[in-house]
Amino acid sequence: MVDITDDELQSLIRVILTRYGIDFTSYETGSLKRRIARAITVFNVESVVELWNKLLKERDFIYPFIDELTVGMTAMFRDPVLWSTLKNSVLNQFSQQENIHIWHAGCSTGEEVYTMGIVLSDMQLQHKTSALATDLNQTFIRQAQEGKYHLSVLEDYARNFTVYQTIHPFHHYYTLQEDAFCMNRSLTAHVQFKNHNLVMEKMDHKFDIIFCRNVMIYFDSKAKTKLLEQFHQNLKEGGYLIIGFYDALMPFIDTQKFAIYDLNAKIFRKIS
């Protein structure tokens, strides 16, 4: 694994920002160095300098490079306690509401979006829901839209699903295709998928629920505070923010703006 100095890291960050308008200045330094070192191996370049030159000379290289930097952490029905709480508590509060608006911020390859689609379908709320699923990684967005996943993860996803429990067996929601399984497209009929940079691009819509799970672990303290403020602005009064089990955001949560709704499920509620 290549060792990357602070100067080399800052040089790469400046190239990406000035040439492509993508800002990595808020990413946690150690994590970003590890991802860049992995990218050097994946793209078979000899050094940080060669990578720097490749970014300058090959304009289309930025797309696979960014995809490599933004590798996601997700699984269907990951952390079943969250999905049970949503079904048994949170979503019940919207049963009489005319419309439900949801934002999956940093949706990765879409497993969370399909999971929520199953929950909404079970509760007969999908028809009144509109959702936005966004991610910086364009390859992830395309896979999320397709909803196609390798068979190697099917057993784990099915195990998570069993803990959650629902009215249909897991195979009710997908079809098999050789070495993959494809989630039913009806589960995302209410979803718009969009490429979006959380750090640099504002969101103008208001939502009842915002998911941002295991995304902010890669951001520094300043970026975490900024994003929490943005999510506060994007939530309707009484709306819910759902974070990841590894995000470690408690020191950054403003208790004047968010109340703990369920700490085990990592759900917070806007209070002002």
Side-chain angles (χ1 to χ4, degrees), residues 8 25-26 35 54 72 84 98 103 125 127 131 137-138 149 158 172 194 234 252:
E8 288 173 329
T25 58
S26 298
R35 286 168 180 245
K54 193 173 179 69
S84 297
E98 185 175 348
W103 180 17
L125 294 176
H127 68 284
N137 189 313
Q138 296 185 22
Y149 305 102
H172 176 81
K194 182 180 179 182
N234 288 132
F252 306 98

Side-chain angles (χ1 to χ4, degrees), residues 38-88:
R38 172 181 161 81
I40 287 172
T41 301
V42 169
F43 296 114
N44 196 28
V45 294
E46 296 295 329
S47 64
V48 175
V49 172
E50 188 175 339
L51 179 64
W52 187 88
N53 286 327
K54 193 173 179 69
L55 283 164
L56 281 176
K57 295 177 180 178
E58 300 178 25
R59 195 162 189 89
D60 288 343
F61 175 64
I62 188 65
Y63 301 112
F65 179 68
I66 292 300
D67 287 352
E68 183 61 35
L69 288 193
T70 55
V71 173
M73 290 174 51
T74 187
M76 290 200 67
F77 286 95
R78 182 174 184 170
D79 308 316
V81 63
L82 164 64
W83 305 103
S84 297
T85 302
L86 281 171
K87 180 178 181 180
N88 298 324

Side-chain angles (χ1 to χ4, degrees), residues 32 37 58 62 76 82 96 104 129-130 146 166 171 208 214 234 245 255 262 265:
L32 191 54
E58 300 178 25
I62 188 65
M76 290 200 67
L82 164 64
Q96 302 304 314
H104 298 271
T129 302
S130 62
E146 189 177 15
T166 185
H171 63 75
D208 297 292
N214 303 320
N234 288 132
F245 280 44
T255 56
D262 189 311

Side-chain angles (χ1 to χ4, degrees), residues 5-257:
T5 67
D6 290 343
D7 287 343
E8 288 173 329
L9 178 64
Q10 293 307 313
S11 178
L12 280 173
I13 288 174
R14 283 196 298 272
V15 167
I16 296 169
L17 179 58
T18 56
R19 187 166 178 78
Y20 301 101
I22 301 173
D23 189 358
F24 280 96
T25 58
S26 298
Y27 277 62
E28 195 275 322
T29 300
S31 176
L32 191 54
K33 282 184 177 181
R34 288 190 294 272
R35 286 168 180 245
I36 291 171
R38 172 181 161 81
I40 287 172
T41 301
V42 169
F43 296 114
N44 196 28
V45 294
E46 296 295 329
S47 64
V48 175
V49 172
E50 188 175 339
L51 179 64
W52 187 88
N53 286 327
K54 193 173 179 69
L55 283 164
L56 281 176
K57 295 177 180 178
E58 300 178 25
R59 195 162 189 89
D60 288 343
F61 175 64
I62 188 65
Y63 301 112
F65 179 68
I66 292 300
D67 287 352
E68 183 61 35
L69 288 193
T70 55
V71 173
M73 290 174 51
T74 187
M76 290 200 67
F77 286 95
R78 182 174 184 170
D79 308 316
V81 63
L82 164 64
W83 305 103
S84 297
T85 302
L86 281 171
K87 180 178 181 180
N88 298 324
S89 179
V90 173
L91 287 172
N92 285 328
Q93 301 170 39
F94 297 101
S95 60
Q96 302 304 314
Q97 191 166 302
E98 185 175 348
N99 297 295
I100 307 170
H101 298 282
I102 297 172
W103 180 17
H104 298 271
C107 69
S108 189
T109 46
E111 284 92 335
E112 173 188 282
V113 183
Y114 287 95
T115 301
M116 190 60 173
I118 291 173
V119 176
L120 290 168
S121 178
D122 282 356
M123 299 188 68
Q124 299 183 343
L125 294 176
Q126 191 180 13
H127 68 284
K128 65 166 65 179
T129 302
S130 62
L132 180 63
T134 65
D135 202 277
L136 173 64
N137 189 313
Q138 296 185 22
T139 300
F140 284 177
I141 286 292
R142 287 192 292 271
Q143 184 177 354
Q145 288 176 301
E146 189 177 15
K148 186 175 181 179
Y149 305 102
H150 197 275
L151 280 178
S152 61
V153 300
L154 179 58
E155 185 177 345
D156 288 340
Y157 291 6
R159 187 181 302 111
N160 289 345
F161 177 87
T162 301
V163 176
Y164 161 75
Q165 296 183 343
T166 185
I167 58 177
H168 297 294
F170 191 44
H171 63 75
H172 176 81
Y173 300 102
Y174 66 82
T175 55
L176 294 175
Q177 292 187 2
E178 297 180 353
D179 62 347
F181 63 101
C182 295
M183 302 305 298
N184 296 346
R185 297 297 289 272
S186 62
L187 295 172
T188 54
H190 64 291
V191 181
Q192 176 189 2
F193 292 93
K194 182 180 179 182
N195 186 244
H196 176 262
N197 187 326
L198 268 178
V199 175
M200 295 187 67
E201 299 177 72
K202 288 188 176 182
M203 181 64 64
D204 295 327
H205 305 298
K206 290 282 189 178
F207 301 93
D208 297 292
I209 301 172
I210 296 176
F211 290 87
C212 189
R213 306 187 67 221
N214 303 320
V215 175
M216 288 185 278
I217 54 174
Y218 303 118
F219 296 151
D220 63 19
S221 299
K222 183 178 179 180
K224 288 176 180 177
T225 302
K226 176 183 175 182
L227 281 174
L228 286 170
E229 178 60 32
Q230 176 180 323
F231 292 148
H232 182 266
Q233 293 174 5
N234 288 132
L235 279 171
K236 298 178 184 179
E237 290 298 322
Y240 294 89
L241 172 65
I242 302 172
I243 66 172
F245 280 44
Y246 303 105
D247 281 323
L249 289 178
M250 285 306 297
F252 306 98
I253 297 287
D254 186 340
T255 56
Q256 299 300 310
K257 296 180 177 180

